[in-house]
Amino acid sequence: MEETPTPLLGSNKPHLEKLTLGVTRILESSPGVTEVTIIEKAPAERHMISSWEQKNNCVLPEDLKNFYLMTNGFHMTWNVKLDEHTIPLGSMAINSISKLTQLNQSSLYSLPNAPTLADLEDDTQEGNWRDFCFDENQPEKPHFDSRSVIFELDPCNGNGKVCLVYKRGKPALAQDTEIWFLDRALYWHFLTDTFTAYYRLLITHLGLPQWQYAFTSYGISPQAKQWFNMYKPITYNTNLLTEETDSFVNKLDPSKVFKSKNKTLIPKKKGSVQPAGGQKGPAGPPSTSKSSSGSGNPVRK
């Protein structure tokens, strides 16, 4: 069956409204939002799920399995209209069962002895940097080698990957799954314990650009933060997402940036206030100093 985009503006399809948790109404009422669409997908058949599990030697979590039985993947987009230009902004996606593929552990190149993702596990020189990027309160990070089995849930428009991670390798059980975000620098960031919790995060963040980076130590980019301020996510940590974080964000403190300039300005102001007669002296003869002082008073007023 061909997948066709379905406009949601004024849509009265109850199953689509249930699938999006009613967020379409919020988007429709937001200023500048246009072309809220969803690609309607047919439910996955049970034999497709069983075939995937047998092929990958992994058992899908029950909530993700039920999701695929309702819709074989999910893709919702919305645009904003600025002046006369329409800009694609929001995107919410979950890969279909056929595109729920394992991260490639083979060689990145076709050359002999070429590097693989598993080589990152031997990275000892950058240990301190990875520890800095990784929160101690998070669960143990996934591994690129056989200790973990990783499948891509969402390509995030090239900004990283949201992954379904089996923490104990194959054969993989449903209770060993977690949802993690792999950023473009190949650092892991924990998102949720279950797919249901992640799906709620996806919907409540409205698919805003780079929203997954709000759960990293360095946060979202300044450009994405502008969109966050305009279209605030429906989430418990909205204030944290819109505020600047302490790390990886360049803060300009005017008192420090212009510190040297202030030092030069302060003595000039003091010199102009303290010796009134001394300032008149070097300016010229007494007659001109009186006229200059007289002309200075109206200017100050």
Side-chain angles (χ1 to χ4, degrees):
M1 181 182 291
E2 236 181 77
E3 298 171 349
T4 56
T6 302
L8 289 182
L9 288 171
S11 173
N12 53 2
K13 295 185 177 181
H15 67 284
L16 294 182
E17 193 73 14
K18 182 179 179 181
L19 183 64
T20 58
L21 305 180
V23 75
T24 54
R25 298 178 183 176
I26 298 174
L27 289 173
E28 291 169 10
S29 61
S30 300
V33 174
T34 181
E35 299 178 15
V36 183
T37 58
I38 181 173
I39 298 179
E40 192 171 1
K41 299 173 184 266
E45 299 181 5
R46 291 189 178 273
H47 72 84
M48 298 171 62
I49 297 176
S50 302
S51 175
W52 184 94
E53 291 179 333
Q54 293 176 6
K55 175 184 176 181
N56 295 283
N57 198 13
C58 299
V59 179
L60 280 177
E62 200 65 26
D63 54 356
L64 182 56
K65 193 180 299 185
N66 292 333
F67 176 83
Y68 280 132
L69 290 174
M70 183 170 60
T71 173
N72 190 10
F74 175 71
H75 191 196
M76 177 179 175
T77 60
W78 53 278
N79 304 336
V80 293
K81 192 170 184 180
L82 298 178
D83 297 331
E84 299 300 324
H85 304 283
T86 301
I87 303 174
L89 186 62
S91 178
M92 295 168 257
I94 300 292
N95 284 340
S96 63
I97 187 72
S98 61
K99 294 183 178 179
L100 187 64
T101 55
Q102 187 173 354
L103 284 192
N104 192 6
Q105 297 179 356
S106 63
S107 175
L108 300 177
Y109 306 96
S110 57
L111 301 175
N113 300 323
T116 65
L117 287 175
D119 292 331
L120 295 175
E121 299 297 330
D122 299 329
D123 189 3
T124 56
Q125 295 180 351
E126 294 186 1
N128 294 334
W129 171 253
R130 289 184 179 271
D131 290 342
F132 176 72
C133 294
F134 187 73
D135 190 353
E136 294 180 355
N137 297 325
Q138 291 185 350
E140 181 187 356
K141 70 179 182 67
H143 300 279
F144 289 111
D145 54 23
S146 59
R147 285 175 288 178
S148 301
V149 187
I150 306 166
F151 297 92
E152 180 184 313
L153 271 176
D154 180 6
C156 304
N157 289 329
N159 292 314
K161 294 179 184 297
V162 173
C163 298
L164 173 70
V165 177
Y166 290 85
K167 300 296 292 292
R168 307 201 181 271
K170 294 183 179 181
L173 303 178
Q175 60 266 28
D176 295 331
T177 57
E178 293 172 345
I179 308 297
W180 286 73
F181 175 60
L182 180 66
D183 65 21
R184 295 185 64 181
L186 300 181
Y187 293 119
W188 287 107
H189 309 275
F190 177 76
L191 292 178
T192 60
D193 290 314
T194 63
F195 171 77
T196 300
Y198 168 74
Y199 185 75
R200 289 173 180 168
L201 281 183
L202 173 67
I203 295 296
T204 55
H205 282 85
L206 307 177
L208 286 166
Q210 304 174 17
W211 71 265
Q212 293 90 352
Y213 283 87
F215 295 87
T216 67
S217 57
Y218 31 89
I220 59 178
S221 66
Q223 182 180 4
K225 195 169 294 185
Q226 298 290 337
W227 294 117
F228 270 69
N229 289 327
M230 186 176 297
Y231 302 102
K232 295 187 181 299
I234 320 156
T235 180
Y236 60 91
N237 57 349
T238 302
N239 294 330
L240 295 178
L241 298 180
T242 54
E243 292 178 359
E244 291 186 355
T245 55
D246 293 333
S247 59
F248 292 88
V249 177
N250 293 328
K251 291 184 178 181
L252 294 180
D253 188 349
S255 62
K256 294 181 179 180
V257 173
F258 302 105
K259 193 173 182 180
S260 59
K261 184 179 287 188
N262 290 337
K263 285 183 177 179
T264 58
L265 291 176
I266 290 175
K268 287 183 180 179
K269 290 181 179 180
K270 289 183 178 179
S272 62
V273 174
Q274 288 177 352
Q279 184 182 1
K280 295 177 184 178
S287 59
T288 57
S289 66
K290 289 180 182 178
S291 61
S292 64
S293 63
S295 62
N297 291 334
V299 174
R300 293 182 180 178
K301 290 179 181 178

